[in-house]
Amino acid sequence: MPAAPYPTPGALLIGDAFNMRHPLTGGGMTGALYKVFCASPDQARKEMREACFDYLSLGGVCSTGPVALLSGLNPSPLSLILHFFAIAINGVGRFHWEFESRTELVYFSCIVHAHGFARNMNWSIVDSQDVEGNPAVTLELKDGPYSRAMWDFSFQAMYKIILDAKSLSTELVITNTDNKPFSFSTALHTYFSASVSGASVKGLKGCKTLNKDPDPKNPLEGEEERDVVTFPGFVDCVYLEAPSELLLDNGLGDKITIQNTSWTDAVLWNPFLQMEACYKDFVCVENAKIGKVELGPNQSWAATQHLSVG
């Protein structure tokens, strides 16, 4: 509970002494923030600091919200959750999904990144709100000198994330804001905490496959024959015309349903010994649109994803 005033002659309260028992800041937030903002050579802390500063510099609710929490003016845990995830998404959003033009990749293979350019660009937070009591944030990406140097088109990408107690929903909308048509492909890099030795995916049997092991530049075409797909070693495989619902067993006791609309394909990936320090702790089950999406001027394409723990 917040502290009650206790006037004492000669006593002077400095800093957050009056607020030290606030249910949010008094529970260790101040100490945690000190660890984030204090000088440190640790690269992870540096990235966290930059993500926090970038978020606060957006102004509006992105600055008044955290300040209200830290000052004790807003004791709402939901607001804390909202801004926590908004900052996290702002910091790692560029790594979350990829957006590339397969057509232009042929002509700009020397400079276009293998996973597109969008994950290397800064996204803007354009909205944060409660959706039926659940925190939601919307990110925006537009073309700029960096993207136009590789892919000379004007576009807008809007990415909305809604967090629930046992689910995560996303919506990606790509709009052609140019005066000429373009084509693109896109995918989500969705990493799941898992025990790789026990992880498996159901629902892919019968899909056409493009297996990038052993040569990612010349994937082997095939068809998935297994009812249950596992991760016995290095895995990098594209599943074409995948179903709109897959079931992931993460090997840790969780069954995760992966549902989507408009994501016609899927990708399974685990680096195995290429990332020996961490490969045992995660798997990637990615929704993707491998085939080209053609958009004329002012046309849009939208795709949704819903992850839920059953």
Side-chain angles (χ1 to χ4, degrees):
M1 296 295 292
Y6 188 74
T8 302
L12 177 63
L13 300 182
I14 300 176
D16 68 349
F18 182 71
N19 189 42
M20 63 187 300
R21 294 177 60 201
H22 185 274
L24 296 179
T25 60
M29 180 185 288
T30 304
L33 285 174
Y34 172 77
K35 290 184 178 180
V36 171
F37 290 113
C38 69
S40 170
D42 186 272
Q43 184 63 28
R45 291 189 185 181
K46 179 181 177 182
E47 294 294 337
M48 292 170 66
R49 285 196 299 271
E50 292 182 356
C52 289
F53 288 138
D54 286 345
Y55 185 75
L56 293 171
S57 68
L58 294 172
V61 69
C62 298
S63 60
T64 59
V67 170
L69 288 166
L70 292 171
S71 64
L73 298 176
N74 181 5
S76 170
L78 183 61
S79 294
L80 174 63
I81 293 172
L82 172 64
H83 290 289
F84 174 85
F85 279 98
I87 292 172
I89 292 168
N90 184 52
V92 303
R94 66 181 183 274
F95 300 111
H96 186 65
W97 70 284
E98 56 195 61
F99 172 49
E100 64 185 87
S101 165
R102 298 287 176 176
T103 303
E104 298 302 314
L105 187 59
V106 175
Y107 301 103
F108 296 100
S109 59
C110 59
I111 56 175
V112 174
H113 302 288
H115 293 94
F117 53 76
R119 66 176 187 165
N120 297 321
M121 298 178 67
N122 291 325
W123 293 66
S124 300
I125 297 178
V126 295
D127 188 34
S128 59
Q129 57 182 305
D130 291 344
V131 178
E132 298 180 353
N134 300 315
V137 62
T138 301
L139 309 177
E140 180 185 44
L141 179 68
K142 293 184 177 180
D143 56 283
Y146 178 80
S147 66
R148 283 187 169 273
M150 296 175 280
W151 194 65
D152 193 18
F153 294 98
S154 176
F155 70 91
Q156 179 196 51
M158 301 291 286
Y159 192 51
K160 185 174 184 178
I161 305 101
I162 303 175
L163 180 67
D164 196 353
K166 290 190 175 182
S167 68
L168 178 72
S169 299
T170 69
E171 180 184 37
L172 175 64
V173 181
I174 307 297
T175 301
N176 182 349
T177 57
D178 212 315
N179 57 8
K180 55 185 179 293
F182 64 61
S183 63
F184 69 92
S185 61
T186 180
L188 299 177
H189 273 184
T190 311
Y191 288 60
F192 294 92
S193 177
S195 172
V196 70
S197 60
S200 63
V201 179
K202 293 181 179 179
L204 293 169
K205 185 176 181 179
C207 291
K208 296 180 180 179
T209 60
L210 297 175
N211 195 340
K212 297 183 180 181
D213 181 29
D215 185 0
K217 295 183 179 180
N218 296 288
L220 300 175
E221 297 184 11
E223 182 176 319
E224 183 56 69
E225 299 178 349
R226 295 170 291 179
D227 291 312
V228 180
V229 181
T230 57
F231 298 81
F234 177 78
V235 175
D236 190 357
C237 189
V238 176
Y239 291 82
L240 302 176
E241 299 180 8
S244 60
E245 181 174 318
L246 300 175
L247 180 63
L248 168 65
D249 183 335
N250 67 1
L252 299 173
D254 299 314
K255 302 294 191 298
I256 302 169
T257 301
I258 304 171
Q259 299 170 307
N260 81 82
T261 61
S262 298
W263 295 106
T264 56
D265 312 299
V267 180
L268 266 57
W269 181 73
N270 182 271
F272 196 49
L273 297 180
Q274 292 181 6
M275 298 173 65
E276 190 170 2
C278 61
Y279 80 91
K280 297 179 181 179
D281 301 323
F282 74 93
V283 296
C284 289
V285 184
E286 309 171 8
N287 283 315
K289 182 67 176 179
I290 303 301
K292 296 178 184 178
V293 178
E294 305 277 352
L295 290 181
N298 300 316
Q299 290 184 332
S300 297
W301 173 85
T304 65
Q305 173 183 243
H306 184 71
L307 312 176
S308 58
V309 180

